[in-house]
Amino acid sequence: MNKDINATFGAFMMRYIPKINKKYGFYLFQTAIGRYKGYFATTTINQLTKSTIGEMKVPLANTEEQTAIVDFLDKKCSEIDNVISAQQKRIALLQELKQSVITHAVTKGLDPNVEMKDSGVEWIGEVPKHWDVMKTSLAFQGIGSGTTPSTSKKEFYDEEGKYWLQTGDLNDGVILGTSKKVSDIAIKVCNLKFYPKDSVVIAMYGATIGKVGILGIKTATNQACCVLPANNHMVAKYSFYEFLACKPALLVSAIGGGQPNISQDTIRKQKIAVPPVEEQKMIADYLGKKCVSIDSSISKAQHQVDLLQEYKQSLITEVVTGKRKVC
């Protein structure tokens, strides 16, 4: 590595660009970005400014070393990327398997020999003959949402206050906490409604549109959450899995241009399969075990992806900074 050249990135680009291998510059800049993350301008979004880039200090290898570095990193990074790609495909397949297992269980049940009937609903298909098929509004009473207390009023929010759920808190799982809490003043002024544990929540719009959650806490919500309150004839965990299964059907019904949304009316009209309560419990227990197993496999594969990405970045840094010799 040419030790006497450690110029700012701006000076480097002005003086040495004619001598630089473009692919080497790509790897070099990746390393520089990692080293200078602490200097990013932070407003609402981290920003890398032209002036920051211009002040970055970078090493420069000679032409022969650049070629050797590029050849080495191209080969190694390609190998790592292939393994990452294989793991990502595995994750996608596992996610498809999970969705398939859930959909089959909540529409076909667990008995492969049961007599079936046509549900008349495209996403459901055939269901066991003794099951009901009905609109969500008939299966759940008191369907509603919430509101957002003015964010300009600091007295409306309190870290020690009551739970207040936003769609960003939904995780396709059990909700045990919220990112924000509201004060008693907000509850009174905004007349906030609190929904009981075991209610099912669906995100109607935003980045998390279609995500589902099951309440493990009593909470109020914002207006983007549609809440299906817990009741005695719908087992909460079964209902949760059912709305995970019908998410694709709900998304097809989403309206809007720049920001699609699932209306509360769409959810109310959505037809769902309703087995007897005891059967709902059996299906929920079965899916709980199956999903834990699949989620564990997904988590392990994702961990491998994370480790490989970290290793790739570390390898690039070591090579372009001369800490690891390749020629």
Side-chain angles (χ1 to χ4, degrees), residues 80-261:
I80 296 169
D81 286 342
N82 286 339
V83 180
I84 289 174
S85 178
Q87 288 296 323
Q88 289 173 330
K89 287 178 181 177
R90 183 165 184 264
I91 290 170
L93 288 172
L94 285 167
Q95 289 170 334
E96 288 178 13
L97 172 63
K98 179 180 176 181
Q99 183 72 17
S100 175
V101 167
I102 292 172
T103 302
H104 187 274
V106 300
T107 59
K108 306 296 181 280
L110 305 179
D111 182 357
N113 300 313
V114 69
E115 187 177 354
M116 307 294 283
K117 67 179 179 183
D118 183 11
S119 70
V121 181
E122 185 176 355
W123 83 267
I124 297 175
E126 288 192 329
V127 295
K129 192 173 182 179
H130 63 286
W131 287 19
D132 291 323
V133 176
M134 63 180 70
K135 289 181 180 179
T136 300
S137 59
L138 295 177
F140 295 88
Q141 285 74 50
I143 296 173
S145 59
T147 189
T148 300
S150 175
T151 54
S152 65
K153 296 184 182 294
K154 293 183 179 180
E155 65 270 24
F156 281 177
Y157 295 89
D158 182 353
E159 291 182 1
E160 302 300 321
K162 303 293 193 304
Y163 291 120
W164 178 70
L165 184 74
Q166 305 171 85
T167 54
D169 296 321
L170 297 179
N171 58 3
D172 286 340
V174 179
I175 305 299
L176 297 174
T178 59
S179 54
K180 287 188 177 181
K181 294 181 180 179
V182 289
S183 66
D184 290 336
I185 297 173
I187 294 169
K188 183 176 180 180
V189 172
C190 302
N191 194 29
L192 297 182
K193 179 178 180 179
F194 282 77
Y195 292 95
K197 289 174 60 176
D198 290 336
S199 297
V200 174
V201 186
I202 304 168
M204 294 188 285
Y205 51 86
T208 56
I209 183 172
K211 271 195 174 292
V212 184
I214 180 170
L215 297 185
I217 55 174
K218 179 181 178 181
T219 183
T221 78
N222 72 0
Q223 64 276 15
C225 294
C226 180
V227 186
L228 313 178
N231 60 59
N232 294 328
H233 58 273
M234 291 298 299
V235 174
K237 208 63 185 285
Y238 172 83
S239 300
F240 164 74
Y241 286 124
E242 179 139 48
F243 281 96
L244 281 178
C246 76
K247 177 179 177 178
L250 287 173
L251 291 178
V252 167
S253 303
I255 59 174
Q259 181 173 286
N261 68 86

